[in-house]
Amino acid sequence: MATETGTSTDDPTETTGRSLRLDYDAKEWLLSRGLWTVAGALLVFLWIPLLVMMFLSFAVNASTFFPFRGFTLAHYAATFADEALMSSLFNSIQIATLSASIATVLGVLASFALARYDFPFKELYRTFGILPMVIPGVVLGIALLIYFRTLLGITPGFLTVVLTHSVYGFPFVLLMVTARLYTFDESLEEAARDLGADPLTTFWDITLPIVAPAIGAGFLFAWIRSFEDFIRAYFVKGTMDVLTTSMYSMIKYGTAPKMNAISSFIVFVIAIVLAVAMNVGNVTGYVAGTQGDE
Amino acid sequence: MSVDTPSRSESLRERLVGRFVSRQSQLALTTTPGLIWLLLLLLAPLTFMVTVSFLNVNDAYQIVWQPTMENYGQLLAGDGPFWKTAFFDSLLLSYFIAAVTTVLCLTLAFPLAYLLARRGGTTFKVVIFLVLLPFFTMYLVRAYSWYLMFGPSGVINSALVKIGIVSGPVGLFNYGVPAIIVGLTHAYFPYMLLSLYASLDGLDFSLVEAARDLGASRSESLRDIIVPLVLPGMISGSLFVFVPALGAFITPRFLGQGKVLMIGQLIEERINSLYAIGYGSAASMFIVMSIVIAFAVAFRYVSIEDLGGA
C-alpha cells in the first residue's frame, strides 16, 4: 500500500498510530464524520425547499420542475408591477416600523425596571412581559379581535394591527435588553457620577452607548416578527392587507409565479441584511443568548 | 475635620433622600408604560376571551351577558361520546403532530448544536448563517416552499416519477400529516437549535473529559453528564417548538390541503365564517390550558430566564 501510493513520510507514523489505538481512532473518526454528515444533511433539509423555490422563481413553469421550459425574469417584473401587492408590502413596512418602535420604547423602559430595581411582583411582571411571545398566534389574534370589535368597538384596521404587533414585539426587546443590562458593569455609571456627570448625562454618554447594540437587535427582532407575522394580522387587519395576508390569498387562489418571486426576493433581502448585521454587530450572540461573551 | 462632619452627613442624608425619591419615580417611569400596554392589550383581551367562552352571541352578533356552558357543550357534543367528536379529534391530532415535531426537532438539533458549541471561527459563522437565514425568512414563505415540494404534482413526486423510481405519485409525499410534520419541523427547528446551543455553549466540557478519563463510555458520559446539564435547554427548546406547533394554522392549511384539521384551523374556520366567538374562545381555552400545564411542568426544571435563549 505504502509503496503504491508513494507517500512515504506520513505512512509510517500513521501505521504505528493505528496499530496502537486502531479502535479508538476509528471510533473517533466515525463519530466526527457522523456528526458532520448529520449537520450537512440538516443544512440540506433547511435549504432545499428554499433553493427549489428560488430556482422556480426564475423558471417559466413556476410550480414544478417538469417539463422544464427555461428561465425568465417575467415573474419578477409582474410581481413588482402588482400594485395591490406592493401597497400591502408598504403597509407591512409601516406597521413593522411603528409597532417595533413602540415595542422598543416600552421594552427598554421595562428592561431597566427589571434589571435595576427590586419591586413587588417583579417575577410576575417579567413572566407577563414574556407571555405575548409564548401565546400561540391564533389565540392572541382571536382574543384581540374579539376585544377590539366587541368590547372596545374599534373597527379592525391599521391601528389594531400596530397595537397587536407592538405587544407581540415587546418580549423580544425585553429579553435582549435585560440580558445586556445584567452583564453591564454598573461601576462605569458610578464612576461617571463621581466625576460629576448628572444622571441624564451618565445615561446618554455611558449607559446608552453600551446598551445600544442590544436595543438595536431588539428593534430588529420586533420588526421582523411584525413583518413576517401572518396569523395575528390576519385576524385584526379588517379589510386592509399586509404582505403576509396578500401572499396567503395568492397561494389560496393559485398564483404561484408571483408568490415564488416575492418570496425569493424576501430571502435575498434578508440574506444581505443578515450578512451585514453579522459582520457589523454580534447578531449571533444576541440570537443565541450569549451576549457579553465577546 | 470636625467642621466638615455636619455638612457631610447633611449632604449624605440629602443624597440618600434624593436617591430614594428619584428611585421611586424612576421605577414608576420604567414599569408603568409597559404595564399599561400589557394590561390593556394582553390581560384584558385574554380575560375577556375567557369570559366570552362562557357567554353566548345572539343573531345580531351581540353578546348576551348570561353565563352558559353551551360553548363547551358544543365543542364536545356529537353523535357519540365526547372523544369521538370533531373537536376532540382535531385536539388529539394537534397534540400528536406537535409532539412528533418536538421529538424530531430535539433529535435533529442536538448533533448540530453540539457541533456548533465545539467549533468556533469560520465554521461556526458559516453554519450559523446557514441556519439563521431560513429562520429569519418569513414563516409563511417557508411553509409555502414545502407546499411546492409536496403534493401529487409537487417537486418531490414529479422528480421521483421523472427519474423512474416510481410510476405514480407516492402517498407519503402527498399533502397530509407527514407533510405537516416536515413543515413544522422546518419552521421551529431553529428555536430548538438555539436553545440547545445556548445550553451546550455554557457547558464545561472538561467535565465530560474528566468522566471519560475516569472510564465512562461515550454513551455513559452523554447520559450522565451532558444530558442532565443541557436539560434546561432541551426543555425550553421543546416548549418553543411544542407550543407554536400546537396552535399552528398556516402549515396545516397549506400542507394538509383540507385533509387534516388541526385545532388552529378549526377555530379560524368558526370565527371567520360564523363569527362564532363563543365557540372559538372556548376552543382556544383548550390550547391555553395545555400551554399553562406544559409551562407549569417545565418550570419545575427551568427558570423563566432560561427561556431567553431563543
Side-chain angles (χ1 to χ4, degrees):
Chain A
M1 282 287 274
T3 47
E4 269 179 43
T5 48
T7 47
S8 48
T9 43
D10 279 350
D11 274 354
T13 49
E14 204 177 75
T15 352
T16 48
R18 277 207 182 150
S19 62
L20 283 172
R21 320 170 56 184
L22 178 93
D23 225 25
Y24 183 80
D25 279 355
K27 252 190 189 169
E28 197 78 352
W29 185 85
L30 265 176
L31 265 170
S32 87
R33 259 319 132 89
L35 214 56
W36 280 105
T37 312
V38 172
L42 279 170
L43 291 178
V44 170
F45 167 70
L46 288 179
W47 274 94
I48 203 98
L50 293 171
L51 291 175
V52 165
M53 182 188 72
M54 286 189 233
F55 178 87
L56 289 174
S57 76
F58 294 107
V60 175
N61 40 327
S63 53
T64 192
F65 280 153
F66 307 106
F68 184 66
R69 296 203 203 92
F71 293 106
T72 176
L73 281 173
H75 305 318
Y76 282 90
T79 305
F80 290 111
D82 186 332
E83 272 177 38
L85 186 65
M86 288 300 114
S87 90
S88 69
L89 171 66
F90 187 61
N91 281 342
S92 277
I93 293 173
Q94 276 184 307
I95 287 168
T97 310
L98 263 171
S99 60
S101 304
I102 298 171
T104 306
V105 172
L106 299 174
V108 168
L109 286 174
S111 308
F112 272 92
L114 287 176
R116 293 287 170 84
Y117 308 107
D118 273 317
F119 53 93
F121 306 114
K122 185 172 162 175
E123 280 310 305
L124 191 68
Y125 189 79
R126 192 206 308 277
T127 311
F128 203 34
I130 295 173
L131 212 57
M133 181 176 92
V134 179
I135 294 179
V138 172
V139 176
L140 190 64
I142 292 176
L144 281 163
L145 169 73
I146 299 171
Y147 177 69
F148 287 137
R149 265 183 68 163
T150 311
L151 196 69
L152 300 187
I154 307 176
T155 314
F158 187 85
L159 175 72
T160 52
V161 183
V162 170
L163 289 177
T164 303
H165 283 176
S166 69
V167 168
Y168 179 44
F170 181 78
F172 298 99
V173 180
L174 188 74
L175 282 173
M176 281 178 197
V177 179
T178 40
R180 186 79 187 105
L181 282 171
Y182 282 135
T183 59
F184 184 99
D185 186 0
E186 267 185 78
S187 62
L188 286 171
E189 287 186 350
E190 281 160 29
R193 252 179 259 126
D194 285 348
L195 291 169
D198 60 76
L200 207 62
T201 317
T202 313
F203 180 77
W204 280 114
D205 291 349
I206 309 289
T207 317
L208 201 59
I210 295 176
V211 185
I215 298 176
F219 177 85
L220 190 69
F221 250 64
W223 198 95
I224 288 178
R225 284 290 173 241
S226 161
F227 187 74
E228 74 160 8
D229 170 61
F230 165 78
I231 192 74
R232 296 164 192 81
Y234 178 66
F235 281 115
V236 299
K237 77 186 174 63
T239 52
M240 180 196 62
D241 256 323
V242 294
L243 182 63
T244 45
T245 55
S246 296
M247 286 163 93
Y248 176 75
S249 20
M250 280 167 86
I251 302 166
K252 216 172 154 190
Y253 300 112
T255 41
K258 283 183 188 171
M259 183 60 197
N260 288 337
I262 189 77
S263 304
S264 305
F265 179 72
I266 288 166
V267 179
F268 298 142
V269 171
I270 289 173
I272 294 166
V273 171
L274 188 61
V276 170
M278 273 178 79
N279 284 303
V280 171
N282 178 21
V283 172
T284 40
Y286 290 118
V287 175
T290 54
Q291 309 78 327
D293 286 356
E294 288 174 40
Chain B
M1 274 302 174
S2 59
V3 186
D4 242 15
T5 318
S7 77
R8 267 187 64 184
S9 69
E10 171 74 5
S11 76
L12 183 70
R13 198 177 64 87
E14 257 178 29
R15 264 162 57 195
L16 275 175
V17 169
R19 172 168 285 195
F20 178 72
V21 167
S22 73
R23 280 238 151 190
Q24 287 288 73
S25 56
Q26 277 173 21
L27 184 61
L29 178 75
T30 50
T31 47
T32 321
L35 190 63
I36 291 174
W37 224 252
L38 292 170
L39 287 178
L40 280 182
L41 293 166
L42 186 72
L43 191 66
L46 288 176
T47 314
F48 187 54
M49 190 185 208
V50 178
T51 315
V52 167
S53 77
F54 293 104
L55 296 173
N56 254 333
V57 177
N58 64 17
D59 292 336
Y61 298 118
Q62 279 165 330
I63 291 177
V64 182
W65 290 91
Q66 217 160 44
T68 167
M69 288 300 287
E70 207 174 291
N71 296 314
Y72 291 93
Q74 252 180 37
L75 285 181
L76 301 174
D79 298 333
F82 77 89
W83 59 86
K84 280 186 177 167
T85 58
F87 170 78
F88 201 73
D89 263 1
S90 82
L91 186 68
L92 276 190
L93 182 69
S94 303
Y95 281 135
F96 171 75
I97 289 176
V100 174
T101 304
T102 309
V103 172
L104 260 178
C105 282
L106 191 60
T107 38
L108 292 177
F110 199 90
L112 192 57
Y114 184 83
L115 203 71
L116 282 175
R118 300 293 299 207
R119 281 279 171 157
T122 320
T123 318
F124 175 83
K125 266 201 163 182
V126 170
V127 173
I128 205 89
F129 178 78
L130 289 175
V131 173
L132 285 184
L133 186 49
F135 177 54
F136 277 116
T137 303
M138 289 164 106
Y139 175 78
L140 183 93
V141 167
R142 291 191 285 152
Y144 170 70
S145 68
W146 283 110
Y147 170 77
L148 290 172
M149 301 290 286
F150 282 97
S153 60
V155 171
I156 299 177
N157 266 327
S158 64
L160 287 179
V161 172
K162 183 79 180 176
I163 297 166
I165 297 177
V166 292
S167 54
V170 183
L172 183 67
F173 302 119
N174 285 349
Y175 300 119
V177 172
I180 294 173
I181 289 172
V182 169
L184 288 175
T185 304
H186 189 259
Y188 301 124
F189 174 80
Y191 289 108
M192 181 65 87
L193 181 78
L194 292 171
S195 294
L196 286 182
Y197 168 75
S199 269
L200 278 166
D201 193 47
L203 184 72
D204 186 357
F205 279 95
S206 61
L207 289 173
V208 182
E209 279 158 34
R212 299 278 289 143
D213 284 347
L214 292 169
S217 75
R218 223 169 263 281
S219 52
E220 276 171 344
S221 64
L222 181 71
R223 191 192 64 210
D224 296 340
I225 310 285
I226 299 181
V227 169
L229 288 172
V230 181
L231 198 65
M234 292 166 77
I235 290 171
S236 64
S238 299
L239 279 179
F240 275 110
V241 174
F242 184 83
V243 166
L246 189 66
F249 170 73
I250 285 251
T251 308
R253 191 35 147 328
F254 291 168
L255 297 173
Q257 285 297 308
K259 279 186 261 172
V260 184
L261 193 67
M262 280 179 76
I263 183 150
Q265 294 164 277
L266 185 78
I267 298 171
E268 184 269 343
E269 209 171 73
R270 291 297 182 104
I271 295 268
N272 267 358
S273 60
L274 306 167
Y275 200 61
I277 56 176
Y279 183 92
S281 300
S284 299
M285 285 309 118
F286 282 82
I287 301 185
V288 172
M289 285 319 292
S290 314
I291 292 164
V292 168
I293 293 167
F295 270 83
V297 172
F299 280 147
R300 306 179 70 156
Y301 304 98
V302 297
S303 71
I304 187 123
E305 274 109 289
D306 290 322
L307 297 183

